[in-house]
Amino acid sequence: MKEKNGLKAEVAGAGFAGLVAATTLAQQGWDVTLHERGEEMRPLGAGIVLWNNSLQVLKAIDAYDTLLPHTMVPPYYETRIHNESVSKEDFDGLPWRTMTRRALHEALADAAIQSGVKILVNSEVVAADPAGSLTLASGEVRHADLIVGADGVTSQVRDSIGFEQERTRSKDGVTRLIVPRCKEELGGGDEWDNVIDFWNFEPRVLRVLYVPCNEDELYIALMAPIEDEEGSAIPVNYDVWVESHPYLAPVLREAAKITEGRYDGYQTNVLKNWSNGRVALVGDSAHAMCPALAQGAGTAMTNAYTMAMAVSARPENLPETLVAWEAEERGITDRCQAKSAWYAETRNMSKGNQFTPEVLETAAYDPTEKHVNHV
Ligand code: FAD
Ligand code: 5PR
């Protein structure tokens, strides 16, 4: 923790991006208030895969050690077509981990509290001003040196200012659920510790991404085209899914019991700029992406961290610092977003062996390297 630097930040949204931005700023000496519109800080369920880029951020902000016991490293990322294995990838030792979103959110919320971030729940942000202010639903206007829009894909901070953006929706979407591991019922065996990406194209496109998160919990993402009403139905239509993936019957039976699930279409948002004056956008508000490379949250946390480190190192002319930060960090996110959209469009992840060094560029990135002198 650095000494107070006399600077003030207001952060909108306590998702992964907002928690990382707020925690990093507070640790660098800022006076930080984090606004969450929900009644409490609680993530929507389901699991997540994190790679080196975000794992390094977690280490840098002291959230890694609390999270570690709630995560696992599956032996392989296996891909199957019609239950035939087409590849088993281990990324040559590149760090990656699976976990529930709940575990990640709790570790980040702990780090924010430990770092002295003031967290206000039931605090909805309705607008922001590039001159350095945030307006709450209550009518209160709060001024600060830095305003962070980490309020997700429907960002009010972004839309109240009118950032220029292009939005593309994909033809597929997923229902993401946490169910019991069911390892024994599935047949036991080490293969059930792998991430397994089960792609079926006949008689219809129904894919199950199987992601063990720890000893007890399994994350499954059930992908179906938006136009497939049965495949995208909530609760999960057991008969339709088990017909396609009979070897996953125990897991699908558990999935069908969950009534509060959600089916989300994929979308890609590309903004012309990530900042305007004293307002910086991080996470889905700036670059919502298709999930194919599992980097939505990873890039959100990475960019939240690099933004917070950049403004801490060069706070004097903050709007210019934000422009320089974007110029430096943006390319890698743009390329990841474009590749994720391409994989969603072509469904080419099904071919296996897709995690080439080029595709893993974002995953391998260490955003903390250039900042070691400041920490
Ligand atoms: P968000 O996670 O959307 O967080 C935004 C936060 O801001 C929320 O807490 C919200 O309540 C709050 N907020 C919104 N508007 C306001 C406002 N006006 N005022 C105050 N607060 C506000 N990726 C994976 O890799 N694996 C997954 O399993 C996975 N599951 C997902 C499930 C769902 C339902 C969704 C929507 C996305 C999922 N993603 C997943 C994608 C990934 O989680 C996102 O890319 C990542 O969460 C983006 O983080 P964020 O902090 O930018 O936005
Ligand atoms: N990877 C992950 C994921 O959750 C999804 C995809 C890939 C971790 C689906 O949400 O390609 O759709 C994908």
Side-chain angles (χ1 to χ4, degrees):
M1 288 280 264
K2 289 205 169 166
E3 276 174 32
K4 288 273 174 211
N5 61 9
L7 297 165
K8 202 165 164 247
E10 298 280 330
V11 182
F16 302 137
L19 284 165
V20 169
T23 302
T24 310
L25 288 165
Q27 291 177 353
Q28 294 296 315
W30 293 67
D31 176 359
V32 186
T33 305
L34 175 58
H35 301 269
E36 169 53 47
R37 105 181 132 182
E39 272 173 30
E40 51 183 332
M41 287 207 297
R42 197 171 49 174
L44 286 162
I48 194 152
V49 179
L50 296 185
W51 310 78
N52 187 60
N53 56 341
S54 46
L55 294 172
Q56 293 294 346
V57 169
L58 291 169
K59 282 185 191 162
I61 65 170
D62 289 332
Y64 188 79
D65 292 342
T66 24
L67 180 61
L68 204 63
H70 307 287
T71 68
M72 68 178 266
V73 183
Y76 294 104
Y77 191 112
E78 184 176 357
T79 303
R80 298 188 194 180
I81 300 186
H82 297 133
N83 206 25
E84 290 269 325
S85 192
V86 292
S87 68
K88 284 185 181 174
E89 296 170 88
D90 65 3
F91 318 120
D92 280 337
L94 178 73
W96 68 301
R97 279 185 180 273
T98 60
M99 66 209 73
T100 64
R101 282 169 64 98
R102 183 174 26 80
L104 175 60
H105 197 273
E106 278 173 13
L108 287 174
D110 264 7
I113 293 163
Q114 294 295 326
S115 308
V117 173
K118 286 172 225 128
I119 301 170
L120 302 180
V121 292
N122 284 317
S123 186
E124 185 183 353
V125 172
V126 292
D129 187 318
S133 71
L134 200 62
T135 305
L136 304 178
S138 63
E140 187 188 348
V141 179
R142 299 172 68 105
H143 299 272
D145 301 282
L146 171 69
I147 306 292
V148 181
D151 46 349
V153 68
T154 59
S155 174
Q156 292 287 306
V157 169
R158 179 193 66 207
D159 294 345
S160 65
I161 293 174
F163 281 81
E164 213 177 298
Q165 63 172 315
E166 214 179 287
R167 176 174 298 194
T168 323
R169 290 183 196 278
S170 300
K171 59 181 181 286
D172 295 329
V174 285
T175 302
R176 300 147 161 139
L177 301 167
I178 296 287
V179 294
R181 283 286 300 270
C182 307
K183 193 172 162 183
E184 292 311 315
E185 297 92 310
L186 287 165
D190 292 348
E191 65 181 316
W192 296 108
D193 290 335
N194 292 342
V195 167
I196 312 177
D197 200 357
F198 292 94
W199 287 84
N200 284 8
F201 291 96
E202 302 294 339
R204 62 212 274 183
V205 177
L206 288 178
R207 165 193 177 205
V208 180
L209 180 69
Y210 166 105
V211 184
C213 292
N214 52 51
E215 277 297 305
D216 306 315
E217 293 168 297
L218 173 70
Y219 162 46
I220 49 169
L222 306 180
M223 189 199 93
I226 291 167
E227 63 183 26
D228 182 344
E229 285 178 20
E230 290 176 330
S232 56
I234 304 286
V236 169
N237 184 324
Y238 177 77
D239 294 338
V240 164
W241 281 90
V242 83
E243 190 184 349
S244 181
H245 297 277
Y247 35 82
L248 290 176
V251 165
L252 295 169
R253 203 170 294 125
E254 293 293 336
K257 290 183 194 163
I258 301 174
T259 50
E260 76 274 21
R262 259 176 55 160
Y263 172 88
D264 291 296
Y266 299 162
Q267 66 170 291
T268 304
N269 275 13
V270 179
L271 269 63
K272 187 156 176 252
N273 302 106
W274 287 355
S275 75
N276 184 338
R278 293 182 173 277
V279 176
L281 301 178
V282 289
D284 277 5
S285 65
H287 48 72
M289 64 179 74
C290 294
L293 300 183
Q295 278 294 350
T299 52
M301 291 162 66
T302 300
N303 291 329
Y305 173 81
T306 55
M307 184 280 297
M309 293 305 284
V311 294
S312 301
R314 297 183 301 280
E316 303 79 27
N317 192 340
L318 202 131
E320 267 177 33
T321 298
L322 289 175
V323 170
W325 157 71
E326 179 180 339
E328 193 163 335
E329 300 293 336
R330 179 156 183 162
I332 196 162
T333 298
D334 281 348
R335 290 190 290 280
C336 182
Q337 211 183 11
K339 282 179 206 134
S340 298
W342 183 80
Y343 275 115
E345 181 57 32
T346 59
R347 297 174 179 150
N348 269 4
M349 289 302 280
S350 62
K351 295 186 170 160
N353 285 320
Q354 295 300 300
F355 288 102
T356 59
E358 191 198 337
V359 165
L360 286 172
E361 178 198 21
T362 318
Y365 180 45
D366 181 354
T368 66
E369 241 170 17
K370 67 186 111 180
H371 297 293
V372 280
N373 296 333
H374 305 302
V375 184

